[in-house]
Amino acid sequence: MTTALAQRPAPSRPGWRERLHKFDIKGVPYFLVAPFFLLFAAFGLFPMGYTVYASLHEWSTRSPEKTFVGLDNYQFLLFEYDRFLNSVVNTLGMFVLATVPQLIVALLVANALNKRMRARLTWRMLVLVPIVTSVVAVGVIFARLWGQEYGMINGFLGVFGVENIDWRASRFGSWLAVSSMVDWRWMGYNALILLAAMQTIPKQLYEAAALDGASPRQQFWQITIPQIKPVIIFITFMSSVGGMMLFVEPMMFDSGRFGGGTDGQFQTTSMVLIDLLRTHGNYGMSSAAGWLLFIVILAVAGTSYLIVNRLQGNK
Amino acid sequence: MSTVLKPPAQQNDSESTGPRRPSNRSSGGSSAKILQPTVMTRIGLVGVIVLSIFPLYWMIVIASRTTSDAAKFPPALLPGGNLGANIERALNDPASRLIDGLVNSIIITGTVTVSVVLISTLAGFAFAKLRFRGARLMMGIVLATMMVPLQHLGLVPLYLIMVELEWLDTYQAAILPFLVNGFGIFLMRQYTLQSVPDELIEAARVDGASTLRIWWQIVLPALRPGMVVLGLLTFMLNWNEFLWPFLVLGTETPTIQMAIRQISIGLYTTDLSMVFTGTLISIIPIAILFVIFGRQIVSGIMEGSTKQ
């Protein structure tokens, strides 16, 4: 590929080379993006549309003939099947418990990592260790930590004279335990994303603020937080989507079952969905649950967006 | 605030100088001072890291001891000498499918990773450097797929499709849905924009190189670091995936995560050290990658986020 200017096809020969070249410019780009879009159509778009269709039918392993029932499945889930709304409350509760402390700690950790220190990569990697652990592994380990008889947390509380607590029995206790898994696994990951955002803030802003006599705390609230606001919103959004689909942590907390404890005190909506699909083989109903969950996710993501936006406006 | 009385350069010993509120832990003087970690910051950070690592450390402790040790209080906090024996037991126990799980997970995750990297470099190059009609709209769709959890929203029909195709218990059922990865395309588009100058592509075109050839000879070599990052993130994410493989693969074709769940259901109350040993084994491949490629993983997570 050196001095090839002369070798370009001459305009006098509008033969197959010209056409090939034209195709190369106009057509080939579509071939490059085609694999993604074909896969997306087959495994993304089509199933999503098909969920609508399936959710409007009575359809299960027991009655494989699809019968159109309109919105009956939705109505059943919302007004008759208590476990569904219960699961939405549980998922929301655990989402709040898992997200709020996590974001606060992640902000502080990111701020600390943003200081000048030696061995920066090592610090960052250490903070990131939990996200490398699989959710199932986290579930196995934390289920033991929160165990009633030999759990380390009860052992620790026992030092202060607290009786052994059955964390699985109560709503709040189980929420706390499940949320701790999410907190533990995601904090460092989010801290690194916040750190990346903090590093894009121009140093002059801090210098100017320092000259005006702003304390580090003031600088944190009045420069750092507003500057990284878009990333905080992004993290909140992603946490809502992930948090509202919580599944493996509560499942492992209940020894791999989908019931979420004796009375479903920590059964999440995803667990209800999988229970309907796998245990009951009810395709129509689980499709409806899937759409309802999607609507809930949108609502929660939208609400947390509004809240984060507001919070920072006040500071 | 109007309490800065001294010029900032003189405040070398920030803790004691200057009339300021006691809550100010470090100097507000210069930006160099602000960026200096205080003792509290260091202690807090170390505390968080101890909490981050302790559960894994404790897993290793239990995995290297006997099950009766696990029930003791005060708890064992130092590793014992049983790790080798426990690993052997965990791998050979007839009830455990750990080896099958490892093999299946490597096949599934490896295929997903290679395919995602390939698909993403192709499409990322097209979106970054080629002009074609509908490109913006298509990129918008790619970005939208990053936000919507497709594998979960379309879970039920996706499962039914696999039933219809009689693909249950096959690798392709576990692999294909995860090839739809908008994040990969987004990341590779960014890397292409950064590392492949337009002039290079123009020059190659003038030399008569075809689009595919440009991709192969110019773009791919320049993208190698980005491909490593994307490959690592994809591998980690898919190695840890539980729900979808659990739905479409039966107990006869477990992934490593399914194998761990199975062991933990069966032996949780009776043989904790074996459960924890299995869990430890499931983490080892990722831990090795993390130690070798820590820098790339950290930068991948940090770079992937700031460019949104």
Side-chain angles (χ1 to χ4, degrees):
Chain A
M1 288 197 290
T2 45
T3 55
L5 260 178
Q7 291 163 15
R8 282 181 86 191
S12 57
R13 279 197 340 216
W16 60 274
R17 289 193 73 158
E18 268 304 83
R19 254 182 285 159
L20 203 65
H21 181 70
K22 200 170 173 194
F23 172 74
D24 190 47
I25 297 294
K26 299 238 164 169
V28 167
Y30 294 101
F31 280 89
L32 298 185
V33 298
F36 172 83
F37 284 97
L38 288 178
L39 286 162
F40 170 64
F43 301 108
L45 216 51
F46 174 68
M48 262 166 71
Y50 199 69
T51 317
V52 181
Y53 172 79
S55 74
L56 300 176
H57 289 78
E58 187 186 320
W59 181 21
S60 66
T61 38
R62 250 171 282 160
S63 53
E65 287 300 307
K66 296 176 214 109
T67 331
F68 182 79
V69 291
L71 295 173
D72 279 9
N73 287 330
Y74 293 91
Q75 199 203 339
F76 176 80
L77 286 172
L78 286 173
F79 302 113
E80 284 162 58
Y81 189 57
D82 292 339
R83 279 199 170 238
F84 185 79
L85 281 185
N86 171 57
S87 77
V88 174
V89 173
N90 290 342
T91 317
L92 270 173
M94 287 185 250
F95 161 67
V96 173
L97 275 180
T99 309
V100 176
Q102 186 199 148
L103 266 182
I104 294 172
V105 176
L107 267 171
L108 294 173
V109 168
N111 196 44
L113 289 174
N114 200 21
K115 308 277 183 201
R116 241 175 243 154
M117 52 175 76
R118 258 173 281 167
R120 297 160 90 182
L121 180 66
T122 312
W123 288 104
R124 288 174 192 180
M125 277 176 70
L126 285 173
V127 167
L128 204 56
V129 163
I131 195 70
V132 176
T133 320
S134 74
V135 197
V136 177
V138 175
V140 170
I141 298 168
F142 275 65
R144 184 66 178 195
L145 284 173
W146 291 94
Q148 188 186 0
E149 292 296 325
Y150 307 111
M152 205 171 276
I153 288 164
N154 273 346
F156 178 74
L157 291 176
V159 175
F160 302 100
V162 180
E163 293 273 312
N164 273 358
I165 299 170
D166 184 358
W167 297 99
R168 282 165 185 76
S170 75
R171 209 165 218 207
F172 187 73
S174 55
W175 287 7
L176 202 65
V178 172
S179 311
S180 73
M181 304 182 201
V182 184
D183 277 330
W184 182 79
R185 189 156 181 267
W186 287 97
M187 190 283 298
Y189 179 84
N190 285 330
L192 278 196
I193 291 182
L194 291 168
L195 171 65
M198 284 179 187
Q199 290 181 338
T200 62
I201 305 175
K203 293 272 182 299
Q204 297 92 300
L205 283 178
Y206 291 104
E207 281 160 14
L211 282 179
D212 288 343
S215 69
R217 185 164 302 174
Q218 284 173 318
Q219 296 185 15
F220 179 72
W221 283 110
Q222 290 175 1
I223 300 173
T224 311
I225 297 286
Q227 287 283 323
I228 62 172
K229 189 170 168 175
V231 174
I232 297 182
I233 290 174
F234 169 74
I235 288 182
T236 318
F237 182 86
M238 294 314 257
S239 303
S240 336
V241 175
M244 292 311 290
M245 294 191 313
L246 195 66
F247 175 78
V248 179
E249 290 92 340
M251 177 196 73
M252 293 308 293
F253 193 58
D254 197 20
S255 315
R257 286 184 290 261
F258 308 136
T262 42
D263 302 311
Q265 59 269 34
F266 53 95
Q267 189 180 33
T268 62
T269 311
S270 283
M271 290 163 91
V272 171
L273 195 157
I274 299 299
D275 190 44
L276 289 170
L277 181 64
R278 264 312 267 269
T279 320
H280 301 281
N282 196 330
Y283 304 141
M285 198 69 79
S286 47
S287 296
W291 269 107
L292 287 176
L293 175 59
F294 183 61
I295 293 166
V296 172
I297 290 175
L298 284 185
V300 171
T303 312
S304 34
Y305 168 80
L306 288 178
I307 291 175
V308 172
N309 233 353
R310 265 310 254 298
L311 275 182
Q312 289 170 357
N314 289 341
K315 283 286 173 183
Chain B
M1 292 284 282
S2 56
T3 52
V4 174
L5 301 175
K6 297 179 184 178
Q10 291 175 8
Q11 296 185 350
N12 287 328
D13 189 3
S14 64
E15 246 63 52
S16 55
T17 55
R20 54 172 58 90
R21 289 179 298 145
S23 66
N24 288 354
R25 293 192 311 262
S26 72
S27 159
S30 69
S31 78
K33 264 282 130 78
I34 299 299
L35 290 172
Q36 223 48 246
T38 61
V39 177
M40 280 302 291
T41 309
R42 281 178 191 275
I43 293 174
L45 195 55
V46 169
V48 166
I49 287 172
V50 167
L51 282 179
S52 292
I53 291 174
F54 178 76
L56 291 176
Y57 171 77
W58 182 62
M59 171 190 73
I60 297 172
V61 170
I62 300 297
S64 62
R65 286 177 167 265
T66 59
T67 288
S68 57
D69 285 348
K72 278 186 193 145
F73 196 85
L77 287 176
L78 288 174
N82 274 351
L83 184 60
N86 281 340
I87 290 180
E88 213 180 306
R89 216 155 51 93
L91 291 178
N92 294 332
D93 190 287
S96 104
R97 305 293 303 267
L98 279 176
I99 294 182
D100 291 337
L102 283 171
V103 171
N104 289 330
S105 276
I106 287 172
I107 293 173
I108 293 169
T109 312
T111 314
V112 170
T113 305
V114 172
S115 317
V116 163
V117 170
L118 194 69
I119 293 171
S120 304
T121 38
L122 280 171
F125 162 56
F127 282 124
K129 297 290 175 185
L130 303 179
R131 262 185 232 128
F132 53 102
R133 201 170 286 182
R136 291 190 67 172
L137 175 70
M138 287 169 147
M139 193 60 212
I141 295 175
V142 170
L143 292 178
T145 63
M146 285 171 64
M147 297 289 181
V148 184
L150 288 169
Q151 288 92 352
H152 289 257
L153 182 61
L155 196 83
V156 182
L158 213 45
Y159 174 77
L160 297 176
I161 292 170
M162 300 305 163
V163 175
E164 288 293 318
L165 293 171
E166 299 190 351
W167 276 7
L168 288 190
D169 255 333
T170 64
Y171 286 136
Q172 66 262 34
I175 290 169
L176 283 169
F178 285 91
L179 301 189
V180 184
N181 187 328
F183 174 74
I185 295 183
F186 170 76
L187 198 68
M188 295 325 283
R189 176 171 161 267
Q190 299 297 331
Y191 274 108
T192 313
L193 284 172
Q194 270 172 24
S195 51
V196 185
D198 283 340
E199 299 79 48
L200 210 59
I201 292 180
E202 288 308 314
R205 280 225 191 282
V206 170
D207 284 351
S210 67
T211 307
L212 270 179
R213 194 167 163 166
I214 292 173
W215 175 73
W216 179 252
Q217 291 200 323
I218 296 175
V219 178
L220 271 194
L223 281 188
R224 220 171 277 154
M227 290 163 76
V228 171
V229 167
L230 176 61
L232 287 166
L233 294 181
T234 310
F235 192 92
M236 275 168 45
L237 203 68
N238 282 280
W239 183 267
N240 290 340
E241 172 67 30
F242 174 81
L243 183 53
W244 178 251
F246 167 73
L247 275 182
V248 289
L249 301 176
T251 43
E252 285 310 298
T253 338
T255 62
I256 183 70
Q257 308 300 340
M258 292 160 70
I260 298 300
R261 173 176 175 268
Q262 248 169 290
I263 302 185
S264 86
I265 290 177
L267 299 172
Y268 200 78
T269 44
T270 51
D271 196 348
L272 191 73
S273 62
M274 182 145 143
V275 175
F276 273 40
T277 307
T279 310
L280 174 63
I281 292 172
S282 80
I283 295 176
I284 287 174
I286 300 287
I288 293 173
L289 285 180
F290 186 64
V291 171
I292 300 176
F293 295 107
R295 180 181 300 273
Q296 282 85 349
I297 293 172
V298 166
S299 81
I301 289 172
M302 290 180 67
E303 283 177 33
S305 62
T306 42
K307 285 164 190 144
Q308 316 272 346

